[in-house]
Amino acid sequence: MAELTPITVLTGFLGAGKTTVLNHLLRQPALARTAVLVNEFGEIGIDHLLVEKLDENTVLLNAGCLCCTVRGDLTRTLREMLPRARRDEISRIVIETTGLAEPAPILATLMTDPVVASAYRLDGVVTVIDAVSGETNLRDRPEAMRQMAVADRIVLTKTDLADPASLRRLFRAINPGAPVITARNGAIDPETVLNLGLFNPGSKIPDVAGWLRAEGHAHHHHDHDQRISSFCLTFDRPLHWLGVGTWLELLIQTRGKDLLRVKGILNLKGQDRPVAIHAVQHVLHSPALLTAWPEGDPRTSRIVFITQDLPRAIIEQGMQAFAEAAAT
């Protein structure tokens, strides 16, 4: 089977510095043969003109948010790029979202279209936030909060203009599992935001361990917006997929709008290899069987939940009940 083409979602609120970071990355050898999809909000799109690598690999998606008509445009564009990706003319795709984008529908789009899901894989969500306006945006703009909450990597910009100490504390409160990279005039090491290996069955296991850094953290919430929570459930004994899968399906059907992101690694009964799971709102991705457990790993099941208006107790009690029922 051909290698799935990785997709990096680059998001962040208006003025955070996404395009500056993207332009720096596109000049690096690690991003050779990268296609860029730029989404903008408004009647006249100009952000794509600011992307330095404006050639046949830069595509402007229709003006609008990626939660409605543009989702179809995104799917169509990815399908059209598929022949070039299979010929390795395109080795990676970066989707730069508008600052007003809700990130969850973008991730759901990558997971629901059968052609897209069979050819591409989500490599990670990179969220750019600036030290000058970051706290204000997180307090006043729910889009900024959700962009930060679902990030796999957080890129901090404009630290020369403002002290980011209090902003870093907010990062640890709402998304403790995401490493923070500081950009200097938009410059970052590509290796810190690429090849994260998320939800790729062929990825190295240490990458999986990296996105489960939230293990052991208690229930976290943001000082300004207690509606969003991040927590990790850990199970020492092997789980039955019937119980876990049934509960997740029920949770998604009844409270899907409140599930910003779910990602985890499971130790299942009858399976000696770890299984990765990934869900975004109303969409549960097919479980992926990974190659092996990391050396020295306790082989516990760990599931990270990032939710809005959905208490930890509801998820924990339901998961426990379904897991016990499946074991009887």
Side-chain angles (χ1 to χ4, degrees):
M1 180 178 176
E3 175 72 15
L4 302 181
T5 302
I7 294 180
T8 298
V9 176
L10 180 65
T11 189
F13 200 68
L14 299 169
K18 296 187 299 298
T19 302
T20 302
V21 171
L22 178 59
N23 281 333
H24 167 78
L25 288 173
L26 292 176
R27 291 193 291 267
Q28 310 307 310
L31 278 91
R33 306 191 313 282
T34 292
V36 180
L37 308 185
V38 181
N39 170 232
E40 302 181 50
F41 188 84
E43 295 182 358
I44 301 176
I46 61 172
D47 281 358
H48 68 293
L49 299 177
L50 303 177
V51 178
E52 292 180 7
K53 191 176 181 179
L54 184 59
D55 55 20
E56 71 280 359
N57 280 354
T58 301
V59 177
L60 175 66
L61 299 176
N62 288 336
C65 62
L66 275 168
C67 61
C68 45
T69 57
V70 177
R71 289 186 61 179
D73 195 36
L74 173 61
T75 300
R76 177 185 57 78
T77 301
L78 290 174
R79 285 183 174 219
E80 291 176 351
M81 287 184 166
L82 185 53
R84 298 179 60 204
R86 285 176 171 163
R87 294 194 300 268
D88 204 28
E89 295 174 10
I90 295 174
S91 60
R92 172 179 298 275
I93 293 176
V94 174
I95 301 175
E96 182 190 6
T97 77
T98 171
L100 299 174
E102 295 283 358
I106 303 171
L107 306 185
T109 298
L110 302 177
M111 296 162 59
T112 53
D113 183 84
V115 175
V116 171
S118 66
Y120 302 96
R121 63 176 176 82
L122 174 65
D123 188 50
V125 179
V126 179
T127 299
V128 181
I129 187 167
D130 70 278
V132 176
S133 304
E135 286 190 68
T136 300
N137 291 336
L138 290 175
R139 181 184 64 238
D140 299 337
R141 303 298 306 218
E143 307 97 324
M145 173 64 73
R146 287 189 281 271
Q147 290 165 358
M148 195 267 284
V150 302
D152 298 300
R153 296 288 187 274
I154 297 171
V155 176
L156 182 58
T157 63
K158 305 180 185 178
T159 55
D160 57 324
L161 302 178
D163 184 355
S166 59
L167 190 57
R168 286 180 176 275
R169 287 194 290 271
L170 298 183
F171 297 160
R172 290 193 293 271
I174 190 59
N175 193 345
V180 180
I181 299 104
T182 300
R184 306 294 183 187
N185 297 317
I188 58 174
D189 181 355
E191 295 303 318
T192 61
V193 295
L194 301 179
N195 303 317
L196 305 184
L198 299 177
F199 320 114
N200 174 20
S203 67
K204 297 180 181 178
I205 298 304
D207 295 332
V208 177
W211 52 258
L212 289 170
R213 295 172 187 269
E215 179 187 5
H217 285 275
H219 183 172
H220 295 270
H221 61 76
H222 190 281
D223 293 340
H224 296 139
D225 190 343
Q226 298 187 17
R227 298 176 60 196
I228 296 181
S229 303
S230 173
F231 54 89
C232 180
L233 301 185
T234 302
F235 300 88
D236 295 329
R237 295 181 179 179
L239 298 173
H240 293 261
W241 175 246
L242 177 62
V244 176
T246 302
W247 169 236
L248 287 175
E249 290 283 4
L250 179 62
L251 187 64
I252 286 170
Q253 291 175 12
T254 58
R255 300 296 298 269
K257 68 180 181 63
D258 301 321
L259 288 172
L260 298 183
R261 201 165 184 195
V262 180
K263 52 186 178 180
I265 185 169
L266 303 180
N267 181 13
L268 297 179
K269 275 277 190 181
Q271 180 57 254
D272 60 357
R273 293 159 59 186
V275 174
I277 59 171
H278 177 212
V280 176
Q281 292 193 324
H282 295 284
V283 179
L284 175 63
H285 197 278
S286 298
L289 184 63
L290 303 177
T291 55
W293 288 94
E295 185 177 351
D297 189 275
R299 300 197 176 194
T300 56
S301 296
R302 287 148 283 174
I303 311 175
V304 177
F305 292 86
I306 301 173
T307 67
Q308 178 173 290
D309 298 326
L310 183 54
R312 170 178 181 153
I314 292 178
I315 295 177
E316 192 165 22
Q317 292 167 9
M319 181 73 77
Q320 193 68 42
F322 274 78
E324 292 176 357
T328 58

